Amino acid sequence: MVKNKEIFSLGENKLTTDYEVILDLGKQPWANGFLKKNECGKEPTYPLQLVYCNKPGLLQLSYFVPKETMFLDHSYISGTTRTLIDHFYKLAVENSNDYNLDKENDIILDIGGNDGSQLEQYKKLGFKKLINFESATNICKLSEEKNIDTINEFFNEASVKDELEPNSIKLINASGVFFHLEELDSVINGINYCLKDDGVFVAQCMYVGAMVDNLNFDTIYHEHLCYYTLKSLTTLLKKYNLHLEDTYFDEIHSGSIICKFRKNKCKITERTKVLKKRDKKYNLNSFRQFAASIGKIKFELRRLLFSKFILGKKVWGYGAPVKGNTLLNYMGIDSSWIEKIVEVNPYKIGTYAPGSHIPVFKEDENELPDSYLLLSHNFEKEILKKNKDIINNKGVSFITPFPVCEITKVPK
């Protein structure tokens, strides 16, 4: 038997050979590294391999692209999607009520808070003391424009001790970033350092259970280092004396878990018990079955797109999310299949998708294809509602990858 090469186990904070390869998506470029025209074909590629580390029971990537490559300057903006803003507002109201937060004095901190969209919802509720720890200099400017105190640093133990007082933060939020962290041990130590003894840490993570159920493997990309079940997340944080109090499933980002941790042991909520029961079925065997099912999606989607191609139909991509590049590159779909991708994010318009080299244009309702491949499928409901007229009245169809189907009519 060939011994596994050593990889770094995030759950154990050390090198290990005790892991199993679950899914190998080949070598791919950094999926959020949208390109200028003269950069096409020159982008580096890295292994994109999902593995299961046996001892901590954690799904993670086998190879980490350096955080400085991915997070010092990037093009993702939280505030471009109404669905996400609504989710952030709902959560802010929930946390404000559940934890009786003091709007004048309690400090709320967001790790990797992007353009400040989450903290902006607390600001709407009247909270005065808000801090955004954001590593991307270009995105920090958007947060600062909202008059949110923004620290342009990676959140880790060293930066926290430089910038913050111990035991000073009432609520720490990590929305869609807690699985990004190659310095996981240092980040959790930083949380422990600055979180008040009666404070709460809120981790919002895309849920492995949803990925397994929906087969949406496109959530696997280099920025996502860890893929949490409820069990693996709580086991990890318990080692640092952070204890789960409350959690629930939410449909945001194709299925996420919202988890709330305290420094002291606490009684768990009833909805936490419900999710714990569901979580038990997501194990090594279910991960193997998930990986075995991916080939069927690849076959069905390529067959549908090829049928459009041979009929001379024009297919464009809708949205240029990072996950879309995992999908396109794994399936071998390039600009010979899809002429262009349309977007509203100004940081992506005028660029080319890494790997596939499909150009990204500004969305224009006066210029339409025969079909859109819905790359931003995690916001499907919002997008279909927005485009109801062109679907129902102009004959433009939307192709969704999970499951593979063609939408030609939207109910009124």
Side-chain angles (χ1 to χ4, degrees):
M1 187 174 83
V2 179
K3 188 177 181 181
N4 286 331
K5 66 178 182 179
E6 282 191 324
I7 64 169
F8 188 79
S9 169
L10 287 163
E12 295 181 279
N13 197 36
K14 67 178 185 180
L15 293 171
T16 185
T17 58
D18 185 20
Y19 66 88
E20 176 179 328
V21 176
I22 300 298
L23 181 63
D24 192 338
L25 296 173
K27 283 196 169 184
Q28 296 204 21
W30 169 43
N32 206 13
F34 285 82
L35 308 167
K36 297 176 183 176
K37 188 173 184 179
N38 64 354
E39 295 172 329
C40 290
K42 301 175 184 177
E43 65 271 35
T45 59
Y46 314 92
L48 186 56
Q49 191 178 63
L50 185 67
V51 301
Y52 181 80
C53 291
N54 288 300
K55 191 170 182 181
L58 179 64
L59 276 174
Q60 64 166 74
L61 296 187
S62 64
Y63 179 88
F64 307 155
V65 176
K67 66 182 187 300
E68 290 80 9
T69 298
M70 297 191 290
F71 298 121
L72 286 178
D73 185 289
H74 62 76
S75 56
Y76 176 73
I77 304 175
S78 298
T80 58
T81 308
R82 184 72 252 169
T83 301
L84 192 55
I85 297 298
D86 292 344
H87 166 75
F88 284 157
Y89 181 77
K90 178 183 175 183
L91 186 60
V93 171
E94 177 184 292
N95 289 334
S96 177
N97 294 336
D98 288 354
Y99 298 105
N100 196 27
L101 301 179
D102 185 328
K103 294 180 179 180
E104 294 293 330
N105 299 307
D106 282 339
I107 304 174
I108 299 172
L109 181 146
D110 203 0
I111 300 174
N114 198 261
D115 64 350
S117 289
Q118 173 73 90
L119 290 175
E120 189 177 23
Q121 309 315 307
Y122 286 95
K123 191 173 183 180
K124 289 176 184 176
L125 297 176
F127 286 89
K128 307 298 183 185
K129 297 182 177 180
L130 308 172
I131 300 173
N132 181 6
F133 247 93
E134 172 54 49
S135 59
T137 303
N138 61 327
I139 304 299
C140 276
K141 295 174 183 177
L142 302 178
S143 177
E144 291 165 350
E145 288 171 3
K146 297 173 180 176
N147 294 317
I148 293 171
D149 289 339
T150 306
I151 298 170
N152 188 195
E153 297 279 354
F154 286 103
F155 184 100
N156 55 35
E157 188 172 6
S159 63
V160 167
K161 288 182 176 179
D162 283 344
E163 299 286 349
L164 303 173
E165 295 296 322
N167 196 35
S168 60
I169 309 298
K170 182 69 176 201
L171 186 143
I172 299 176
N173 178 73
S175 174
V177 297
F178 202 63
F179 38 57
H180 287 181
L181 307 169
E182 64 181 82
E183 301 177 291
L184 192 53
D185 177 72
S186 177
V187 168
I188 302 173
N189 284 333
I191 290 169
N192 262 324
Y193 173 83
C194 66
L195 185 65
K196 281 189 168 186
D197 290 339
D198 64 346
V200 58
F201 169 53
V202 182
Q204 305 183 53
C205 303
M206 278 187 270
Y207 185 40
V208 160
M211 182 179 77
V212 167
D213 290 344
N214 299 328
L215 301 180
N216 53 324
F217 67 90
D218 60 343
T219 57
I220 301 169
Y221 47 85
H222 291 110
E223 292 180 16
H224 290 174
L225 306 184
C226 297
Y227 300 78
Y228 292 113
T229 61
L230 182 60
K231 181 180 179 180
S232 63
L233 179 60
T234 55
T235 299
L236 170 69
L237 289 177
K238 192 174 182 180
K239 293 194 303 183
Y240 296 83
N241 290 316
L242 290 169
H243 305 277
L244 182 68
E245 178 183 53
D246 185 29
T247 186
Y248 58 94
F249 178 81
D250 193 281
E251 294 291 346
I252 198 72
H253 292 307
S254 299
S256 301
I257 48 175
I258 317 300
C259 302
K260 305 179 185 184
F261 294 88
R262 300 281 214 159
K263 279 187 171 181
N264 301 306
K265 289 184 179 180
C266 44
K267 185 178 179 180
I268 63 173
T269 61
E270 288 301 314
R271 62 183 177 179
T272 299
K273 295 176 184 178
V274 172
L275 188 54
K276 274 191 167 186
K277 185 176 180 180
R278 172 185 174 180
D279 192 69
K280 289 179 181 179
K281 68 177 181 178
Y282 303 115
N283 51 37
L284 180 55
N285 187 52
S286 69
F287 303 149
R288 290 169 177 160
Q289 292 175 356
F290 157 75
S293 302
I294 299 307
K296 182 180 179 182
I297 291 177
K298 182 176 183 178
F299 173 77
E300 289 178 351
L301 185 56
R302 283 176 60 91
R303 181 175 63 178
L304 178 53
L305 292 176
F306 186 69
S307 70
K308 298 287 183 183
F309 177 78
I310 61 175
L311 291 173
K313 299 293 185 181
K314 187 184 297 184
V315 180
W316 296 350
Y318 194 96
V322 182
K323 64 177 61 185
N325 293 320
T326 294
L327 180 76
L328 294 170
N329 290 324
Y330 173 64
M331 295 199 173
I333 297 170
D334 58 20
S335 57
S336 66
W337 292 63
I338 293 179
E339 179 184 341
K340 65 172 73 171
I341 296 169
V342 299
E343 247 293 345
V344 295
N345 181 339
Y347 286 96
K348 295 179 180 178
I349 294 166
T351 66
Y352 293 76
S356 68
H357 304 154
I358 302 171
V360 183
F361 286 78
K362 183 178 181 180
E363 185 180 349
D364 183 353
E365 63 183 15
N366 296 313
E367 188 181 7
L368 299 171
D370 297 295
S371 301
Y372 281 117
L373 173 59
L374 185 52
L375 298 173
S376 297
H377 60 84
N378 49 321
F379 298 115
E380 179 180 326
K381 290 181 181 178
E382 177 180 339
I383 291 168
L384 293 180
K385 181 179 179 180
K386 173 185 173 182
N387 290 284
K388 184 166 62 174
D389 178 63
I390 67 168
I391 297 170
N392 291 345
N393 300 322
K394 297 183 181 180
V396 178
S397 67
F398 275 70
I399 298 168
T400 62
F402 306 106
V404 177
C405 69
E406 185 172 11
I407 298 169
T408 58
K409 188 69 69 175
V410 177
K412 294 182 180 180

